Amino acid sequence: MKLESRHWTFFGLAVVVVIAMLSGFQPEITVSPDTLRMHEYIESLPEGSKLIISFDHEASSLPEIRPLAVALLRHAFSKNLRLIGIALLSEGTGVGYGLMQQVAAEYSKEYGVDYVYLGFKPQYIAAILSMGQSIPATFPEDYVGQPVDQLPLMTGVETYDDLAGVISVADGSLTTHWIEYGGGQYGVRVSAFGTAAMVTTYDPYLNSDQMYAMVGGLRGAAEYEKLIEIGGSGARGMLAQTCSHLYVILLIVIGNVLYFVSRRKGRSS
Amino acid sequence: MRRKVPQFVCALFGILLFALYFSSHPLARALSQLVLVEYWQIIFAFTLLVGVVSFLKVNLKSIERGEDRPYRIVSLMGLLSMPIVAFFWGIKGGTPFMWIFENIQVPMQSTVFALLAFFVVSASFRGFRARSVSASVLLVSALLTLLARSDVGGLLSEHLPVVADWVRNNPSMSARRAILIGIGLGSVTTSLRVIVGIERTWLGGKQQ
């Protein structure tokens, strides 16, 4: 196989990422106002407040989503918030359940009392609208098949009015539906932990206060880990991300230098 | 008749759901709950069935013709094995279904997703050129954002993150808002066209 320029760029990126990950060096993280707002929001909630954590993501984005979700769950459990896990994308179902169990065990939280997992509901718009009218009717059973009315945490939870808010852990545009249908029609406070690629999508909603707060990407996870003072894979991955950003910048500069040199040569000849 | 009945059902439910969305009457809420929780889920189950049957037909035909045979056999094995495993052992944590999901599907999907980084690198090197004024503006914005989102942005200059945030909160957000408003207006227009029967392509077949 003849190696072309793109193959060398691929190889270069792989080398940069591997060296960065092996070095173990962790750069100093500056916390952005967006991440700080989310942290302050969770801090401001009284003990025992009930929050929906919606795992609205696919398996493909797990390397970016996992550090975000773990940081959120650690903070929420450490503040003794009571969490109701759901999933509006099927692939997030098992992942969400596993993450909640894992972090709940770290804080000795009891299933049914401190957290519940209601599982997956297909047709996200229908599910969000339906929960606005009755959460127990939308999820009559939890993920493990127990009737919802037998779970102590769900006592008194009928609609969004009985909750402090919804936090969507998402890799796509599903949070938009939470904002438009959950927030728009039922007035529930919507926040999100999302992938970096989706941050600008939600800027208009953040700016207009339709969405309360957002933490985005691996950088957001690293910032949140710094705020809660518990290290995680967000901070570990930041050096690799920074180095790959610098590598892309270097390639763009080289590409443009080559472009202008070839253009000048073309003119002179 | 084959076109008029679905068109009528579509118009009826379009108007009904539109009206229910804005009503807080208990009857409207109960009806809305029934449509959203029960009917919508049933329709979803049928669409899933249509998708699975279509996937099976396309792949079986291609296997018969010998097109990409190994890949299609693997696809069909995946499609058939997951429901079988789920049927016998369930889908909760610790079951073979979740083992396959966590150890095969998650790594495969993450790998494919990670390939995007390599394509972005290659595309940046080959395509991000200052060929015109507008391309140069895009290039400078991209470089600013990349620098600001990595940790070196603030080290190079304290103004760099501020400028990058300005780009994100002003030109970028304005463009995003324009797109969102366009999508909203487009959705409303298309929905109205479907409900009143002007738009009939969703029925398939020839326009009549």
Side-chain angles (χ1 to χ4, degrees):
Chain A
M1 185 182 80
K2 191 188 165 194
L3 287 177
E4 297 171 18
S5 63
R6 65 194 173 102
H7 296 131
W8 289 111
T9 59
F10 294 163
F11 182 68
L13 180 66
V15 169
V16 165
V17 170
V18 169
I19 290 174
M21 293 299 279
L22 288 178
S23 76
F25 174 74
Q26 289 191 10
E28 186 57 38
I29 311 280
T30 317
V31 179
S32 67
D34 289 344
T35 308
L36 199 61
R37 185 174 163 88
M38 177 70 86
H39 184 264
E40 283 170 358
Y41 167 52
I42 301 284
E43 284 286 314
S44 71
L45 294 173
E47 265 191 27
S49 298
K50 292 170 185 173
L51 266 179
I52 284 186
I53 310 286
S54 184
F55 293 90
D56 308 326
H57 57 83
E58 293 172 333
S60 56
S61 55
L62 209 55
E64 204 174 0
I65 286 291
R66 191 193 295 267
L68 284 163
V70 168
L72 163 67
L73 293 172
R74 281 181 173 154
H75 191 203
F77 278 132
S78 71
K79 296 296 299 174
N80 293 324
L81 303 181
R82 300 169 90 191
L83 305 181
I84 301 167
I86 62 167
L88 297 184
L89 281 184
S90 59
E91 287 177 27
T93 317
V95 175
Y97 184 60
L99 288 175
M100 283 191 94
Q101 277 189 314
Q102 176 204 320
V103 182
E106 288 176 21
Y107 292 87
S108 308
K109 297 292 178 185
E110 191 184 341
Y111 186 83
V113 177
D114 301 304
Y115 74 103
V116 293
Y117 196 73
L118 303 182
F120 168 63
K121 199 76 188 170
Q123 291 300 307
Y124 36 82
I125 295 175
I128 294 167
L129 285 171
S130 171
M131 285 168 75
Q133 291 167 35
S134 172
I135 293 171
T138 312
F139 290 95
E141 287 182 345
D142 70 355
Y143 184 57
V144 289
Q146 291 184 68
V148 158
D149 52 16
Q150 289 178 12
L151 299 166
L153 191 151
M154 295 303 288
T155 309
V157 176
E158 187 55 38
T159 64
Y160 295 125
D161 294 340
D162 307 309
L163 303 167
V166 170
I167 298 181
S168 170
V169 182
D171 63 355
S173 60
L174 217 147
T175 312
T176 314
H177 301 298
W178 274 115
I179 297 165
E180 288 172 354
Y181 297 102
Q185 190 168 4
Y186 296 103
V188 66
R189 179 175 276 183
V190 178
S191 305
F193 278 68
T195 48
M198 297 310 294
V199 170
T200 52
T201 303
Y202 296 117
D203 277 343
Y205 297 109
L206 269 175
N207 190 254
S208 62
D209 270 343
Q210 286 171 285
M211 183 157 93
Y212 189 75
M214 172 152 195
V215 178
L218 205 61
R219 187 188 171 84
E223 290 173 9
Y224 212 85
E225 286 165 4
K226 184 180 178 180
L227 286 171
I228 60 172
E229 296 172 350
I230 303 173
S233 49
R236 281 199 297 278
M238 264 313 287
L239 183 66
Q241 182 169 298
T242 301
C243 291
S244 49
H245 279 185
L246 292 175
Y247 178 66
V248 171
I249 291 167
L250 180 73
L251 285 180
I252 292 172
V253 171
I254 292 172
N256 277 280
V257 169
L258 292 174
Y259 168 69
F260 282 111
V261 168
S262 67
R263 206 167 72 163
R264 186 170 286 176
K265 273 185 187 168
R267 272 187 196 155
S268 59
S269 64
Chain B
M1 197 64 179
R2 282 183 65 189
R3 298 175 74 85
K4 278 187 178 160
V5 172
Q7 222 170 304
F8 173 74
V9 173
C10 174
L12 177 74
F13 276 89
I15 294 164
L16 183 73
L17 284 170
F18 184 76
L20 292 178
Y21 184 87
F22 293 102
S23 174
S24 55
H25 191 276
L27 187 68
R29 293 241 162 165
L31 194 58
S32 177
Q33 184 78 10
L34 179 76
V35 173
L36 293 174
V37 178
E38 307 294 339
Y39 293 0
W40 207 333
Q41 308 295 345
I42 294 167
I43 294 166
F44 172 73
F46 276 99
T47 56
L48 200 65
L49 193 68
V50 171
V52 170
V53 170
S54 167
F55 184 82
L56 275 171
K57 276 171 73 175
V58 167
N59 279 285
L60 286 173
K61 265 185 194 169
S62 298
I63 289 171
E64 243 179 51
R65 286 195 217 110
E67 293 167 4
D68 302 326
R69 195 172 273 169
Y71 303 112
R72 292 184 187 276
I73 290 171
V74 171
S75 300
L76 288 179
M77 278 167 60
L79 182 81
L80 298 172
S81 62
M82 289 302 269
I84 291 169
V85 169
F87 183 78
F88 285 108
W89 292 281
I91 58 167
K92 306 290 187 271
T95 57
F97 181 89
M98 280 311 291
W99 189 90
I100 295 173
F101 177 74
E102 281 167 7
N103 296 290
I104 298 178
Q105 190 171 346
V106 171
M108 281 200 306
Q109 280 193 226
S110 301
T111 306
V112 172
F113 194 57
L115 289 177
L116 273 178
F118 291 91
F119 292 127
V120 167
V121 165
S122 171
S124 307
F125 178 56
R126 295 187 297 166
F128 240 144
R129 302 282 155 84
R131 288 191 174 93
S132 62
V133 177
S134 49
S136 305
V137 171
L138 188 69
L139 179 67
V140 172
S141 309
L143 287 176
L144 277 172
T145 308
L146 271 171
L147 273 173
R149 291 302 291 174
S150 49
D151 295 304
V152 287
L155 295 176
L156 293 175
S157 162
E158 59 182 19
H159 301 297
L160 203 62
V162 180
V163 176
D165 279 347
W166 182 87
V167 171
R168 186 183 146 191
N169 291 328
N170 292 281
S172 168
M173 203 190 304
S174 311
R176 180 65 68 178
R177 279 211 168 106
I179 292 167
L180 282 173
I181 291 168
I183 292 170
L185 291 173
S187 304
V188 170
T189 314
T190 310
S191 304
L192 280 175
R193 282 170 63 87
V194 171
I195 288 169
V196 299
I198 299 169
E199 175 67 56
R200 276 172 281 186
T201 46
W202 61 276
L203 287 163
K206 287 179 185 170
Q207 287 275 11
Q208 283 170 9

